[in-house]
Amino acid sequence: MDNKTTPGAGEWSGVIESYSSFLPVNRQTPVITLMEGNTPLVRARNLEKKLGCPARLYLKWEGMNPTGSFKDRGMTLAVSKAIEEGARGFVCASTGNTSASAAAYAARSGYPCYVLIPENAVAMGKLAQSLMYGATVINVRGNFDQALQMVLDIVESRPVTLVNSLNPYRLEGQKTSSFEICDILGEAPHTLFIPVGNAGNITAYWNGFREYRSAGLSSRLPRMCGFQAAGASPIVQGERVENPETVATAIRIGNPASWKSAVDAARDSGGSISTVTDQEILEAYHLLASQEGVFVEAASSASVAGLSKTLQENPGAFKEGDDVVCVLTGNGLKDLQLAIDNCPQPVTIGADISELEKVMELR
Ligand SMILES: *Cc1c(COP(=O)(O)O)cnc(C)c1O
């Protein structure tokens, strides 16, 4: 397959078939796909102006994946490889997008999926997805770490495969987003901004950019700039956070699984891992929707919050002609309560044209 070719309408066939030469698959691998990947790379001219960004700014809109987050890129590979290796079901511990994605791909595979969630700690949209896709959702009276331990124990004695990000195929699939960015831009960007939770995704992107350059399909490597929420920033603080707290639930992680490789990616690329506050995250969340029409999960906007902070601290951070990409990891529709709670409420009027005119004059 020619990896430099951007597909035309109807030509895309999912990340495994599109990038098979970069993935641990062979002709026998049964490909379980929902046509994930090939997500929009949107130029954000309004944000460039608003933030005073001299570089070209692009948004990698991963919320456009089939279950609404980048997790689908890794899940297609994890599930396909598990079936190839004889799995008879899937299990994960998750408070969010991993469970939604696992449940969807399991449904397509025809095998059962068991999702362990810490009791009552899951956003409504993500819970609804897992239930609709037919997963067995199990509330655990305990926290995430305890649920994960149970999952690790059960895969020892049952023919079910763990699809948490400890599954190495997850990161392999996730790196395909770097390939798509390079294919569209014709080169790797100068700088990549990305939210960091368990730190698997920043690791995957860095692997992808390096593999593409080694293959001669790009000639530079981006600076990798990762952002944790201030209340859940173990990497920045250099120690585990016992009770991580942030409005950005998808990055509320106190002890990241890919800690070391994320630190390596930031260091080796000349980038950094820093923090943004919940207020900065919510500002970026609103800016993305109101300025660009892109509605993301709160966690996703940590990348744009990080860009905004970088430009405030150092207006000369980028040159004209640079390409800067902000990764937007998940879809805003996952958590409607957060959106509604953080917006002005609708105005109510009588069915009367003069009342309508009054409202429209005020705007
Ligand atoms: C999983 C997730 C993240 C965090 O990614 P890591 O690989 O854990 O760093 C960020 N945003 C969203 C929407 C996610 O689902």
Side-chain angles (χ1 to χ4, degrees):
M1 178 139 297
D2 178 0
N3 290 301
K4 281 296 253 189
T5 306
T6 304
E11 286 176 31
W12 184 255
S13 49
V15 300
I16 293 181
E17 293 198 0
S18 299
Y19 294 110
S20 57
S21 62
F22 290 89
L23 296 171
V25 292
N26 56 59
R27 283 207 185 77
Q28 275 71 53
T29 308
V31 177
I32 309 294
T33 179
L34 281 160
M35 305 293 164
E36 62 294 314
N38 195 23
T39 55
L41 188 69
V42 181
R43 178 82 183 266
R45 292 178 198 272
N46 295 336
L47 279 183
E48 286 169 15
K49 281 207 200 80
K50 192 100 185 165
L51 303 178
C53 178
R56 285 186 293 264
L57 172 60
Y58 295 93
L59 309 172
K60 184 59 171 162
W61 195 358
E62 289 288 279
M64 294 295 279
N65 274 296
T67 78
S69 83
F70 72 85
K71 299 295 197 296
D72 295 340
R73 292 180 185 276
M75 206 56 75
T76 182
L77 198 66
V79 167
S80 298
K81 291 300 288 184
I83 305 276
E84 183 183 343
E85 291 161 11
R88 290 292 171 268
F90 305 93
V91 62
C92 67
S94 165
T95 60
N97 286 326
T98 293
S99 54
S101 185
Y105 284 82
R108 257 180 113 71
S109 80
Y111 291 108
C113 183
Y114 304 92
V115 171
L116 277 69
I117 60 178
E119 202 174 22
N120 303 324
V122 59
M124 198 71 101
K126 302 172 188 182
L127 176 61
Q129 286 181 290
S130 299
L131 292 169
M132 281 299 293
Y133 294 134
T136 302
V137 177
I138 303 157
N139 264 316
V140 178
R141 271 184 240 103
N143 61 28
F144 174 80
D145 293 330
Q146 291 168 310
L148 181 62
Q149 191 54 54
M150 291 170 71
V151 165
L152 290 170
D153 290 343
I154 202 77
V155 297
E156 293 297 316
S157 59
R158 302 270 167 146
V160 290
T161 297
L162 175 78
V163 292
N164 278 94
S165 67
L166 297 167
N167 180 316
Y169 296 122
R170 290 269 313 276
L171 298 197
E172 284 292 306
Q174 285 171 216
K175 75 188 178 192
T176 56
S177 186
S178 303
F179 301 162
E180 291 174 16
I181 292 170
C182 295
D183 286 347
I184 300 259
L185 297 179
E187 178 55 281
H190 295 81
T191 309
L192 187 96
F193 286 85
I194 184 168
V196 173
N198 251 317
N201 213 26
I202 187 172
T203 302
Y205 271 80
W206 181 234
N207 291 342
F209 286 122
R210 283 186 302 168
E211 287 180 29
Y212 235 39
R213 194 184 64 158
S214 296
L217 294 167
S218 62
S219 66
R220 60 172 170 249
L221 293 171
R223 242 183 325 161
M224 304 291 291
C225 298
F227 288 87
Q228 301 193 295
S233 54
I235 298 177
V236 176
Q237 291 176 39
E239 61 183 6
R240 268 180 83 138
V241 174
E242 285 310 324
N243 294 304
E245 259 318 320
T246 168
V247 64
T249 52
I251 54 172
R252 191 164 69 197
I253 306 280
N255 185 24
S258 301
W259 189 321
K260 185 177 173 304
S261 53
V263 170
D264 290 349
R267 188 198 51 227
D268 296 346
S269 69
S272 57
I273 296 181
S274 323
T275 61
V276 282
T277 63
D278 275 10
Q279 195 191 332
E280 290 166 331
I281 287 172
L282 288 174
E283 275 168 24
Y285 174 68
H286 282 281
L287 270 183
L288 277 161
S290 65
Q291 304 297 306
E292 298 290 359
V294 176
F295 182 23
V296 301
E297 257 191 75
S300 304
S301 55
S303 57
V304 170
L307 170 69
S308 170
K309 189 177 169 185
T310 302
L311 283 162
Q312 275 163 31
E313 288 171 355
N314 177 13
F318 311 108
K319 293 194 303 289
E320 218 181 300
D322 280 2
D323 286 324
V324 172
V325 173
C326 286
V327 178
L328 304 178
T329 46
N331 196 306
L333 294 171
K334 298 260 188 179
D335 192 351
L336 296 174
Q337 200 61 53
L338 179 73
I340 290 170
D341 289 348
N342 280 280
C343 284
Q345 299 308 297
V347 214
T348 304
I349 60 168
D352 176 343
I353 197 73
S354 66
E355 288 194 50
L356 176 60
E357 280 169 345
K358 221 159 88 196
V359 172
M360 292 175 74
E361 268 160 33
L362 290 175
R363 295 286 144 129

